[in-house]
Amino acid sequence: MTTPTDAAALTERIRDYALSLGFDLVRFTTADPMLDAEAALKERIGQGLMGGLDWFTAERAEVSANPRALLPSARSVIALGTFYLTDAPRDETAPGDPHGRLSCYAWGDDYHEVIRARLDDLAAFIRTCAPPGHEKSIVFVDTGRMVDRAVAQRAGLGWYGKNTNILTRGWGSWLFLSEVVTSLDLAHDEPLAATCGQCEVCLHACPTNAFVAPYVLDNRRCISYLTIELRGSIPLELRPLIGAHIFGCDICQQVCPVNLVVEKRLRQRGQLGKPGERLMFQPRPVTGSSPALIPLLKLDDEGFRERFRHSPVKRAKRRGLLRNVCVALGNIGDPVAVPALSDALRDTEPLVRGHAAWALGRIGGTTACVALEKALAVETDATVQQEIRCALEMCG
Ligand code: B12
């Protein structure tokens, strides 16, 4: 039997160890089911707002909102936050050298790999200090069946922002969330009383109007979904709204007043933008935070694998990333991209050919039109033929 004093002492040992591993926030909550979260998830699925994420089923919602469905002996959940912002994004696009935007979380090494290693270390530590019979634990980061944000909210790690992200006073919303579900009895924290109050800046800043109400995101309109998770064609009406985003989007976080205050304070204290700080999340040398787009369009499978090994960007796969690059080039509208986009009309992937056609139509001009006409004469895929015809109409 663990006494409250034992539990408090053990909780502090675990907190200190987690902080020493590089986690920035550590809170503790019970392993009771999160019934509000389960109801919210089921409601969103029922309304079609999780459309496109076929794996997000009502059954999954039931399991992921109930830690004991995953570890029957669970008594506590350790909620962890890892700050990942390393510097403010720079828009490097200049005439003749179009650049795209990577969302900040994807600048550096794949956080799943970085955090998983820390979680395994923490779980091993917990095993060594657990009383007999309480050694069991399982770890989660993002891809596991656990509602990361609901755990973080109940543990008082942060509060729900209206853009659905968890916000914190010290680190804003620039945190990866992860958990350890354990059979240990620990001292539990309370949820925070903080809210976003009257502020709705994020809701109105979204270029695709993805928020149907505060706290409610329509996944199918979110640029993050369209550029990362969507495997097929990007809906025509949304393409112009995506701008130069080629992997994820940070707009609803960048405009958040809490985040702006946090960034300013961290910068003043020298905790942001410091060379050598959080190296694993700093922009990778070859790709940076806003990569040149034309060279990306020339990547073959091998080149893509090589360039994005250990980067979150690999999730989009070559065809998804090149699709996004075409859309960004179309939106930037610089004719310097016409030769590379014309070459992409001969890509092995119909998805890339179709989006290259759209971009050429949007940029327009005689060279783009001629390339589209030539491509139409030899194209065999019906969807791409349709894209080319639409593009020729845009060309005028
Ligand atoms: C599916 C998913 C997505 C989808 C859908 C997003 C979404 N809103 O659900 C897509 C691909 C679009 C996406 C995008 C992003 N994601 Co994502 N995503 C997930 C994933 C795998 C599941 C999220 C989920 O359960 N969604 C279901 C919906 C219904 O949940 P929800 O919107 O959070 O709803 C909760 C609250 O809103 C609340 N609620 C409901 N109604 C109400 C009403 C009131 C009044 C209140 C107070 C609360 C409330 O209850 C709900 C249940 O907890 C998690 C990882 C995980 N395993 O949890 C990461 C996760 C949520 N994503 C994350 C990140 C970083 C992002 C991006 C910022 C990435 C980017 N830069 O492009 C964007 C942000 C977009 C946005 N504004 O949400 C982080 C969030 C970190 C944080 N600080 O909150 C997570 C936790 C990954 C991680 N482990 O760090 N993501």
Side-chain angles (χ1 to χ4, degrees):
M1 179 76 189
T2 324
T3 67
T5 333
D6 295 338
L10 190 52
T11 306
E12 285 320 304
R13 281 182 69 196
I14 293 173
R15 190 192 309 275
D16 289 347
Y17 192 75
L19 291 170
S20 78
L21 289 173
F23 291 107
D24 296 289
L25 282 175
V26 188
R27 293 286 189 282
F28 302 84
T29 182
T30 71
D32 294 340
M34 294 165 280
L35 299 174
D36 290 351
E38 184 185 322
L41 297 182
K42 285 183 169 170
E43 194 183 322
R44 301 285 192 279
I45 295 168
Q47 291 166 333
L49 296 172
M50 297 300 282
L53 301 174
D54 297 340
W55 48 269
F56 216 110
T57 59
E59 294 70 42
R60 185 185 169 105
E62 278 164 26
V63 174
S64 39
N66 183 3
R68 287 195 201 102
L70 299 153
L71 180 68
S73 61
R75 306 293 290 266
S76 305
V77 185
I78 309 170
L80 302 144
T82 308
F83 181 66
Y84 59 83
L85 195 65
T86 55
D87 211 346
R90 283 158 293 146
D91 189 0
E92 289 166 4
T93 283
D97 187 21
H99 284 243
R101 298 180 75 171
L102 284 183
S103 106
C104 315
Y105 92 85
W107 290 352
D109 293 342
D110 191 338
Y111 71 98
H112 299 97
E113 296 172 25
V114 173
I115 294 176
R116 180 67 202 220
R118 292 180 188 172
L119 288 171
D120 287 343
D121 196 333
L122 183 58
F125 175 79
I126 289 172
R127 268 195 299 281
T128 62
C129 50
H134 294 263
E135 300 90 345
K136 284 205 177 124
S137 61
I138 33 176
V139 301
F140 296 93
V141 52
D142 186 48
T143 52
R145 287 191 296 167
M146 182 56 60
V147 272
D148 294 341
R149 295 199 276 216
V151 173
Q153 187 274 339
R154 191 170 71 185
L157 190 138
W159 70 94
Y160 284 126
K162 288 184 187 170
N163 62 15
T164 79
N165 286 305
I166 288 290
L167 270 166
T168 67
R169 289 210 191 290
W171 307 104
S173 61
W174 306 110
L175 289 164
F176 296 125
L177 303 176
S178 58
E179 305 83 29
V180 181
V181 176
T182 164
S183 48
L184 280 181
D185 270 321
L186 296 169
H188 299 144
D189 295 301
E190 290 298 318
L192 303 179
T195 69
C196 293
Q198 298 299 311
C199 181
E200 295 199 336
V201 172
C202 58
L203 305 181
H204 305 297
C206 177
T208 53
N209 279 321
F211 296 104
V212 289
Y215 311 101
V216 185
L217 180 82
D218 183 347
N219 178 66
R220 295 159 302 186
R221 297 188 71 86
C222 178
I223 293 176
S224 184
Y225 167 74
L226 295 169
T227 57
I228 303 175
E229 301 296 332
L230 176 65
R231 295 289 166 233
S233 184
I234 299 179
L236 273 175
E237 70 281 11
L238 295 179
R239 291 181 199 172
L241 311 178
I242 290 177
H245 291 97
I246 58 164
F247 189 86
C249 170
D250 291 322
I251 293 177
C252 66
Q253 299 192 86
Q254 281 168 329
V255 299
C256 169
V258 176
N259 279 340
L260 292 172
V261 169
V262 163
E263 271 182 65
K264 192 172 169 195
R265 192 172 53 228
L266 291 175
R267 212 170 279 285
Q268 280 166 351
R269 288 186 192 156
Q271 285 176 284
L272 194 59
K274 199 163 81 183
E277 182 75 9
R278 293 170 206 277
L279 269 180
M280 71 296 277
F281 298 135
Q282 284 193 0
R284 292 152 68 95
V286 189
T287 310
S289 61
S290 62
L293 292 173
I294 292 172
L296 288 182
L297 212 44
K298 295 178 179 158
L299 287 178
D300 58 12
D301 279 333
E302 182 54 31
F304 176 83
R305 265 197 302 276
E306 187 59 35
R307 179 126 174 206
F308 295 109
R309 187 169 291 144
H310 302 300
S311 151
V313 176
K314 64 180 180 293
R315 183 165 177 82
K317 305 208 170 22
R318 173 188 176 271
R319 62 194 217 113
L321 184 72
L322 268 62
R323 169 200 63 190
N324 303 341
V325 167
C326 291
V327 172
L329 285 170
N331 287 334
I332 292 168
D334 190 331
V336 73
V338 168
L341 286 167
S342 304
D343 288 347
L345 290 174
R346 293 188 296 276
D347 197 274
T348 49
E349 292 285 352
L351 187 70
V352 177
R353 299 203 295 275
H355 287 73
W358 179 84
L360 285 166
R362 198 158 154 82
I363 296 172
T366 314
T367 321
C369 282
V370 171
L372 286 166
E373 272 158 8
K374 276 192 188 158
L376 187 57
V378 293
E379 180 59 60
T380 53
D381 183 287
T383 315
V384 184
Q385 287 170 352
Q386 186 55 28
E387 289 267 15
I388 299 177
R389 284 195 198 97
C390 286
L392 280 166
E393 272 174 36
M394 282 197 284
C395 257

